[in-house]
Amino acid sequence: ACGGKPLNRRYYSTTAQDWRLAGELALDEQVLTHTGSATLTGKRPAPAQRVYNLEVQAVHGVPPKN
């Protein structure tokens, strides 16, 4: 997602119990993080930066992305 396309990243919403694109997340929605979960409290544009898309075959305790 290089070139200012962070809305294409998927996050696991523990609120919806489903994978969501970043742009689909709502304020106060809970998302899974590497340390547990977090609540989305705001949205703002971020400066463009180089990122790497990784694909993970399975994560323990999280349903696979469709």
Side-chain angles (χ1 to χ4, degrees):
C2 195
K5 296 184 181 180
L7 297 179
N8 291 334
R9 292 191 194 144
R10 292 189 171 268
Y11 295 89
Y12 189 78
S13 167
T14 56
T15 302
Q17 297 291 303
D18 197 12
W19 290 95
R20 303 246 180 164
L21 293 172
E24 298 172 341
L25 295 172
L27 295 180
D28 297 321
E29 191 159 355
Q30 294 272 324
V31 294
L32 192 64
T33 69
H34 68 283
T35 59
S37 66
T39 302
L40 181 62
T41 59
K43 293 183 179 184
R44 66 173 191 242
Q49 57 185 317
R50 181 179 301 270
V51 297
Y52 299 92
N53 290 324
L54 303 176
E55 188 170 318
V56 178
Q57 183 174 356
V59 178
H60 179 71
V62 177
K65 177 174 65 171
N66 290 344

